[in-house]
């Protein structure tokens, strides 16, 4: 009788142990991936910021020289640009206009560069003020522009995947009546046709 009671107790204990939930699983399914957040090295946001700021500077230096070949390494193949006129350009279209001379920069300088990266260190956004003078299909464009660029970390390093350029409107005094005129130029820059060269 003693043996039967001990066997029954052992069987009941084994059954209860088998039915107990696993310790601290967080109610995750058995096939859920393990949480590696605690083992991953923290991302150095300051280093990401330094890298992106350097690349922004390099991009505008190459644009100032109209050096499409130097620019190539900074853009992802899927790059898209929303330009000042609202047009959307692929990487191929952007490089075609630079290489053909349809767009030519006379000067480019960037400042007020700020960078934010995601917690994983795989993506970042930069915002810069760019003072540029360029000629695009015979039209001169100059003045300050705010450029937002989205960056992605790839196996080949950081690449720009998209950008958006917006003209910066000048801050005008409240008494300036011209600013309230419907046809007033508040673009902060100008676009005008290039006069034909004297022959």
């Amino acid at each position: 009788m003693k043996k039967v009671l001990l066997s029954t107790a052992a069987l009941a204990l084994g059954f209860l142990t088998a039915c107990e939930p696993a310790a601290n699983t967080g109610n995750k399914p058995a096939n859920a991936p393990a949480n590696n957040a605690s083992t991953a090295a923290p991302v150095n946001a300051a280093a990401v910021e330094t890298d992106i700021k350097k690349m922004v500077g390099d991009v505008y230096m190459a644009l100032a020289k109209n050096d499409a070949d130097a620019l190539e390494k900074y853009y992802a193949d899927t790059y898209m640009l929303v330009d000042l006129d609202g047009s959307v350009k692929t990487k191929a279209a952007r490089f075609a206009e630079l290489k053909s001379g349809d767009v030519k920069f006379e000067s480019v300088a960037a400042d007020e560069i700020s960078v934010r990266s995601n917690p994983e260190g795989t993506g970042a956004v930069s915002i810069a003020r760019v003072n540029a003078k360029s000629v695009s299909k015979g039209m001169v464009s100059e003045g300050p522009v705010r450029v937002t660029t989205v960056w992605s970390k790839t196996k080949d390093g950081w690449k720009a995947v998209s950008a958006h350029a917006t003209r910066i409107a000048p801050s005008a005094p409240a008494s300036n009546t011209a600013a309230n005129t419907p046809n007033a130029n508040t673009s902060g820059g100008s676009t005008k046709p290039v006069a034909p060269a004297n022959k």
Side-chain angles (χ1 to χ4, degrees):
M1 181 74 172
K2 206 173 190 179
K3 275 186 176 179
V4 171
L5 285 174
L6 284 175
S7 295
T8 306
L11 185 61
L13 184 61
F15 179 74
L16 288 173
T17 305
C19 291
E20 262 184 25
N24 196 16
T25 61
N27 295 327
K28 288 183 183 176
N31 61 352
N35 182 3
N36 294 327
S38 60
T39 59
V43 173
N44 185 340
V48 171
E49 180 179 357
T50 300
D51 289 347
I52 297 295
K53 281 185 174 181
K54 181 184 182 315
M55 292 184 73
V56 169
D58 291 346
V59 164
Y60 290 116
M61 192 181 305
L63 277 174
K65 296 175 183 176
N66 296 288
D67 189 347
D69 293 333
L71 287 168
E72 180 72 32
K73 65 181 176 182
Y74 298 107
Y75 294 87
D77 290 338
T78 55
Y79 175 81
M80 299 287 284
L81 167 69
V82 179
D83 216 340
L84 285 172
D85 60 0
S87 62
V88 179
K89 297 172 181 170
T90 63
K91 177 183 178 179
R94 180 66 168 154
F95 277 76
E97 66 185 10
L98 289 169
K99 288 179 178 180
S100 69
D102 281 349
V103 171
K104 189 169 179 63
F105 286 89
E106 293 182 15
S107 62
V108 183
D111 61 8
E112 294 182 9
I113 303 168
S114 64
V115 177
R116 285 196 179 177
S117 59
N118 65 9
E120 299 78 20
T122 57
V125 175
S126 65
I127 300 175
R129 182 178 66 178
V130 180
N131 280 294
K133 183 175 182 181
S134 64
V135 180
S136 177
K137 295 182 181 175
M139 298 290 287
V140 173
S141 178
E142 57 186 324
V145 174
R146 191 77 64 194
V147 179
T148 303
T149 306
V150 178
W151 299 85
S152 179
K153 188 147 194 192
T154 71
K155 62 181 178 61
D156 299 318
W158 288 101
K159 301 282 184 182
V161 293
S162 70
H164 185 248
T166 305
R167 217 173 265 300
I168 300 172
S171 50
S175 62
N176 185 353
T177 55
N180 298 322
T181 306
N183 294 326
N185 178 8
T186 58
S187 66
S190 63
T191 303
K192 57 190 175 195
V194 176
N198 292 333
K199 295 188 177 183

